[in-house]
């Protein structure tokens, strides 16, 4: 199906656009009352994510209700460990928990490389249903966690400020670490390729915990695995978003990816210099959306002027927070459209 609005894909490929495309990380869910109604009906986050009809419905909501230039499939990065044989739970108000963790070579030998159709078929079905529902209105973004970020959850078993259990393995048992990272990478490549076959028009890799690593550890334990993914996904543009990895921008810029995501700690002009030949995505501090409508517009104008309207995809510097007002979110989206035209 031909896309009616392909701004995101043209910007990702570095082609000329009439205005800058805009979407938001974590736009599917959280802030919309319409999302909360569907989630209530589903009973739980996992129930919602594993019911393709409902996952597709909440994926479409921000396109209809917020006017974004892309949909992102409603799912989670933690479906990959689940597909490898390590189930997770989502504790209300607290976040993800893995009842069993992976801490030895014997533990990881019990896991499989995920088979996308068998182990993650519900996500692929949600992608197919979403593509039908979108009817070419905007592109659909698929995603996965970066191997290092998934490694953090699989070894630690839950969220953490420091992920010291995960980092302990990098120093104390690099052999185990590399074996687990490779198994996650193999699963992720198969999964992303299947997302593309199901209909994803672009895929984003979220390295949400990149910022807890030293530059040297990042080069050893994260970048090589992201590189394998970028080299393997040749069918659609790939976005790499490594939160907190300001120190690795130059290396990330040399990967086989089309787009590099920036968080709000990363200076825009400096990032353009470090990553001269890729499209950049980002990077408004999400907390700007707690300010007044006038302030939001002023901050967006400043951001668009600094990035320029080309080779740029407007976004926040991380996901939108659950307590943000939909009207403020719409103001952000409208302001990008107005100032970049
Ligand atoms: O972008 C989107 O809207 C698509 C859906 C999406 C979710 N999670 C749904 C979700 C995406 C892209 C993710 C990615 C994700 N999940 C990341 C990487 C992005 C980032 O924010 O850094 C991470 C680290 C996770 C792991 C995760 N899932 C955590 C830490 C939590 C709990 C805290 C939180 O952020 O809500 C989740 C739960 C989760 N994933 C929810 C949603 C809508 C909330 C669960 C609920 O409704 O109860």
């Amino acid at each position: 199906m031909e896309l009616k609005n392909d701004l995101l894909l043209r910007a990702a490929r570095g082609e000329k656009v009439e205005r800058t495309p805009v979407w938001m990380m974590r736009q599917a869910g959280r802030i919309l009352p319409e999302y909360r109604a569907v989630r209530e009906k589903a009973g739980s986050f996992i129930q919602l994510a594993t019911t393709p009809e409902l996952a597709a419905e909440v994926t479409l909501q921000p396109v209809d209700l917020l006017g974004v230039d892309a949909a992102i499939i409603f799912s989670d990065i933690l479906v990959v460990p689940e597909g490898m044989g390590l189930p997770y739970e989502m504790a209300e108000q607290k976040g993800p928990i893995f009842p069993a963790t992976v801490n030895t070579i014997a533990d990881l030998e019990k896991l499989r490389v995920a088979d996308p159709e068998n182990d993650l078929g519900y996500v692929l079905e949600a992608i197919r249903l979403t593509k039908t529902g979108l009817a070419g209105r905007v592109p659909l973004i698929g995603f996965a966690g970066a191997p290092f970020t998934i490694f953090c959850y699989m070894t630690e078993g839950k969220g953490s400020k420091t992920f010291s259990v995960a980092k302990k393995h990098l120093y104390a048992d690099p052999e185990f670490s590399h074996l687990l990272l490779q198994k996650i990478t193999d699963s992720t490549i198969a999964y992303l390729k299947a997302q593309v076959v199901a209909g994803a028009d672009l895929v984003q890799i979220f390295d949400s915990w990149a910022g807890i690593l030293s530059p040297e550890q990042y080069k050893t334990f994260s970048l090589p695995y992201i590189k394998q993914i970028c080299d393997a996904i040749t069918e659609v543009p790939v976005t790499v978003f490594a939160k907190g990895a300001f120190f690795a921008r130059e290396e990330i810029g040399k990967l086989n990816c089309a787009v590099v995501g920036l968080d709000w700690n990363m200076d825009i002009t400096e990032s353009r210099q470090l990553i001269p030949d890729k499209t950049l995505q980002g990077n408004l501090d999400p907390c700007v959306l707690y300010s007044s409508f006038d302030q939001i517009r002023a901050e967006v104008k400043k951001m668009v002027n600094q990035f320029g309207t080309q080779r740029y995809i407007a976004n926040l510097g991380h996901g939108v927070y659950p307590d943000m007002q939909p009207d403020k979110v719409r103001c952000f989206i409208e302001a990008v459209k107005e100032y970049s035209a």
Side-chain angles (χ1 to χ4, degrees):
M1 162 118 30
E2 189 127 344
L3 285 167
K4 294 179 196 93
N5 171 349
D6 65 350
L7 288 170
L8 178 91
L9 299 182
R10 277 192 279 142
R13 290 190 222 108
E15 296 166 16
K16 199 168 172 358
V17 289
E18 310 78 74
R19 68 163 173 82
T20 300
V22 53
W23 69 282
M24 284 178 314
M25 290 185 275
R26 312 299 293 270
Q27 69 184 19
R30 315 190 105 189
I31 54 160
L32 292 171
E34 290 83 353
Y35 163 79
R36 289 194 282 273
V38 179
R39 192 187 179 289
E40 195 119 326
K41 193 165 77 178
S44 70
F45 170 79
I46 291 184
Q47 207 44 51
L48 174 51
T50 52
T51 308
E53 294 73 18
L54 297 182
E57 184 180 345
V58 297
T59 301
L60 295 172
Q61 284 174 346
V63 178
D64 295 324
L65 301 168
L66 301 175
V68 284
D69 293 306
I72 178 162
I73 191 67
F74 182 82
S75 185
D76 200 86
I77 60 168
L78 302 177
V79 301
V80 166
E82 162 128 321
M84 296 170 70
L86 196 76
Y88 70 101
E89 294 163 8
M90 203 59 91
E92 288 293 331
Q93 313 294 334
K94 278 176 77 184
I97 292 175
F98 286 91
T101 55
V102 184
N103 288 288
T104 62
I105 291 185
D107 291 342
L108 85 86
E109 279 170 351
K110 287 188 227 138
L111 300 175
R112 57 184 178 268
V113 173
D115 170 352
E117 281 297 340
N118 274 330
D119 298 316
L120 294 156
Y122 59 93
V123 183
L124 305 178
E125 182 58 14
I127 290 177
R128 289 187 282 265
L129 292 175
T130 301
K131 285 295 280 187
T132 306
L134 280 172
R137 275 177 290 166
V138 292
L140 176 61
I141 300 171
F143 70 90
F148 172 67
T149 287
I150 298 299
F151 175 96
C152 284
Y153 286 101
M154 290 175 84
T155 53
E156 195 99 21
K158 55 183 187 322
S160 162
K161 283 208 174 81
T162 55
F163 279 101
S164 54
V165 174
K167 286 179 73 178
K168 179 183 76 180
H169 286 298
L170 305 185
Y171 287 108
D173 200 349
E175 188 198 351
F176 159 81
S177 302
H178 282 298
L179 285 171
L180 180 53
L181 286 162
Q182 190 59 52
K183 207 162 199 171
I184 299 166
T185 302
D186 294 343
S187 301
T188 303
I189 289 173
Y191 178 47
L192 288 175
K193 281 193 172 282
Q195 290 188 33
V196 173
V197 172
D201 298 294
L202 175 153
V203 294
Q204 174 156 327
I205 301 165
F206 286 90
D207 205 355
S208 304
W209 296 107
I212 64 172
L213 293 180
S214 69
E216 196 184 325
Q217 277 191 321
Y218 198 69
K219 265 188 222 156
T220 308
F221 294 105
S222 191
L223 268 179
Y225 299 98
I226 296 177
K227 180 175 188 311
Q228 286 185 43
I229 299 171
C230 291
D231 289 344
I233 307 298
T234 51
E235 304 86 343
V236 297
V238 177
T239 299
V240 175
F241 172 62
K243 172 127 194 342
F246 59 89
F247 50 81
R249 279 173 291 177
E250 208 167 350
E251 283 100 332
I252 293 171
K254 291 185 186 131
L255 292 170
N256 229 330
C257 63
V259 185
V260 177
L262 305 182
D263 69 40
W264 64 92
N265 286 157
M266 299 172 184
D267 181 77
I268 298 169
T269 309
E270 185 185 65
S271 300
R272 281 283 191 208
Q273 280 160 4
L274 289 168
I275 311 168
D277 50 10
K278 294 210 190 304
T279 295
L280 298 183
Q281 173 173 281
N283 75 340
L284 195 71
D285 179 352
C287 290
V288 167
L289 302 195
Y290 290 124
S291 66
S292 69
F293 292 104
D294 282 345
Q295 255 175 303
I296 295 170
R297 279 190 282 267
E299 291 294 330
V300 169
K301 190 172 190 177
K302 216 171 15 175
M303 173 176 77
V304 171
N305 285 342
Q306 268 189 283
F307 273 106
T309 60
Q310 305 297 312
R311 288 217 93 137
Y312 175 43
I313 296 165
N315 206 310
L316 303 175
H318 199 192
V320 63
Y321 300 134
D323 65 343
M324 284 174 165
Q325 293 170 20
D327 277 347
K328 296 284 172 76
V329 171
R330 278 186 206 101
C331 174
F332 162 72
I333 291 158
E334 289 308 315
V336 171
K337 292 181 178 177
E338 184 183 331
Y339 295 131
S340 69

